[in-house]
């Protein structure tokens, strides 16, 4: 069983519970497990750039450094002038950084595993307009990023990117303006295409080539059970580890099975 080829329902439930638990839990070990599991599961599906990991470190360091400026409760470690740097503020900044980074990576994985057609398949019958709006938003984010890279490459090829900090900021602003113009034009084209195809004139029909199998049911039961253990006061870290790394374990099992079958050819 692979998350990419599984039925969308258990995958949606699993990722939704993972994000909810990550946002609500205050245990530092559980947050670290969530971030590690998110990075590992994302790595098994797509290559993570070194630039992304560097951004993670810089973002974490920035939050940890800035949090003591606004939160000075607790026992002081040292002073910078009249500013009191406390241990509790630094640890709280670490917790915030772990939570935000973990949620970001899980949402990236959510967008990768649940495409627009899967989202419409799940909610198109009950909430057609909402499902369409969310699916278009999920599709628009990576499309927006890729188009921004294309515009930046075109501007560099034309020699519009100058050296120095202010020239780079000016070039980024030109890229942003062009990207906004493209997004508005793309939204207008999508609206005209939807009107031409008769969107909203009759009840929508849905089709999805997905079959709910026994492995999907087993994964759903295990995910919900592990979530219940993770929110209970007993065995919280162990339950969270099983819950967060469940998807990664399935993916590694599939990859090992695939390599083993290839070796038999």
């Amino acid at each position: 069983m692979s998350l990419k080829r599984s039925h969308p329902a258990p995958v949606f439930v699993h990722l939704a519970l993972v994000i909810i638990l990550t946002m609500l839990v205050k245990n530092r070990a559980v947050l670290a497990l969530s971030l590690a599991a998110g990075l590992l599961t994302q790595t098994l599906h797509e290559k993570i750039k070194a630039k992304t990991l560097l951004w993670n470190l810089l973002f974490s360091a920035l939050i940890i450094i800035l949090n003591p400026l606004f939160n000075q409760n607790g026992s002081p470690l040292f002073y910078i002038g009249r500013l009191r740097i406390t241990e509790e503020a630094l640890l709280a900044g670490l917790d915030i950084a772990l939570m935000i980074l973990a949620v970001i990576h899980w949402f990236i994985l959510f967008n990768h595993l649940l495409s627009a057609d899967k989202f419409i398949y799940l909610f198109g019958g009950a909430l057609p307009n909402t499902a369409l709006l969310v699916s278009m938003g999920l599709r628009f984010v990576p499309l927006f990023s890729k188009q921004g890279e294309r515009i930046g490459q075109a501007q560099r090829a034309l020699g519009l990117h100058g050296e120095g900090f202010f020239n780079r900021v000016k070039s980024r602003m030109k890229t942003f303006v062009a990207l906004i113009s493209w997004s508005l034009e793309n939204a207008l084209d999508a609206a005209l295409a939807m009107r031409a195809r008769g969107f909203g004139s009759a009840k929508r029909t849905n089709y999805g080539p997905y079959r709910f199998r026994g492995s999907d049911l087993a994964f759903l039961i295990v995910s919900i059970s592990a979530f219940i253990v993770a929110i209970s006061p007993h065995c919280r870290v162990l339950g969270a580890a099983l819950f967060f790394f469940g998807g990664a374990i399935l993916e590694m099992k599939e990859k090992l099975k695939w390599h083993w079958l290839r070796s038999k050819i």
Side-chain angles (χ1 to χ4, degrees):
M1 175 185 174
S2 174
L3 294 179
K4 189 70 175 179
R5 298 191 300 270
S6 300
H7 193 276
V11 177
F12 173 80
V13 172
H14 174 71
L15 293 177
L17 292 178
V18 165
I19 294 172
I20 290 172
L21 180 61
T22 304
M23 294 177 66
L24 297 181
V25 75
K26 296 182 179 180
N27 190 308
R28 193 171 302 116
V30 175
L31 291 173
L33 286 172
S34 178
L35 177 58
L39 287 171
L40 177 60
T41 311
Q42 187 181 348
T43 304
L44 294 172
H45 286 278
E46 57 183 357
K47 185 178 180 181
I48 299 180
K49 299 179 181 179
K51 185 178 180 180
T52 302
L53 298 177
L54 179 61
W55 180 87
N56 287 350
L57 293 176
L58 293 176
F59 181 78
S60 302
L62 182 65
I63 292 181
I64 294 172
I65 292 172
L66 291 180
N67 191 63
L69 300 179
F70 305 97
N71 181 10
Q72 298 187 18
N73 296 324
S75 55
L77 293 175
F78 55 91
Y79 289 85
I80 300 178
R82 295 184 179 181
L83 180 64
R84 184 172 63 173
I85 306 299
T86 65
E87 179 183 1
E88 288 79 1
L90 291 174
L91 293 177
L94 177 61
D95 294 342
I96 295 172
L98 289 174
M99 186 269 291
I100 294 177
L101 290 176
V103 169
I104 288 174
H105 284 287
W106 283 115
F107 266 114
I108 292 174
L109 192 63
F110 185 97
N111 192 28
H112 178 76
L113 293 176
L114 293 174
S115 57
D117 57 333
K118 291 183 178 180
F119 203 88
I120 292 177
Y121 170 77
L122 286 175
F123 302 102
L127 302 168
N129 294 330
T130 303
L132 180 64
L133 182 63
V134 173
S135 64
M136 291 180 67
L138 293 175
R139 175 182 173 273
F140 187 73
V141 171
L143 195 64
F144 197 84
S145 177
K146 290 180 181 178
Q147 185 65 20
E149 292 179 2
R150 294 193 191 100
I151 294 173
Q153 291 173 359
Q155 289 184 347
R156 281 191 291 270
L158 293 173
L160 299 179
H161 278 237
E163 298 293 333
F165 175 76
F166 291 104
N167 288 329
R168 287 199 298 269
V169 171
K170 187 177 179 180
S171 301
R172 296 286 184 181
M173 289 300 298
K174 290 180 179 179
T175 303
F176 181 73
V177 171
L179 191 58
I180 292 298
S181 301
W182 170 84
S183 64
L184 293 175
E185 183 180 355
N186 185 63
L188 181 60
D189 290 341
L192 292 175
M194 291 170 63
R195 178 179 295 179
R197 294 176 182 179
F199 178 80
S201 59
K203 185 178 180 180
R204 288 175 56 88
T205 58
N206 296 315
Y207 168 75
Y210 310 110
R211 186 165 57 92
F212 198 86
R213 298 167 295 182
S215 57
D216 296 316
L217 179 61
F219 177 65
L220 181 62
I221 294 174
V222 171
S223 294
I224 295 176
S225 301
F227 175 76
I228 294 173
V229 175
I231 62 176
S232 65
H234 308 291
C235 302
R236 175 173 295 176
V237 177
L238 181 61
L242 176 62
F243 178 56
F244 289 134
F245 284 95
I249 293 172
L250 289 177
E251 294 298 330
M252 288 188 288
K253 181 183 75 67
E254 287 295 316
K255 289 183 179 295
L256 290 174
K257 182 180 179 180
W258 169 246
H259 286 300
W260 180 78
L261 291 175
R262 287 186 62 185
S263 65
K264 295 294 182 181
I265 299 176

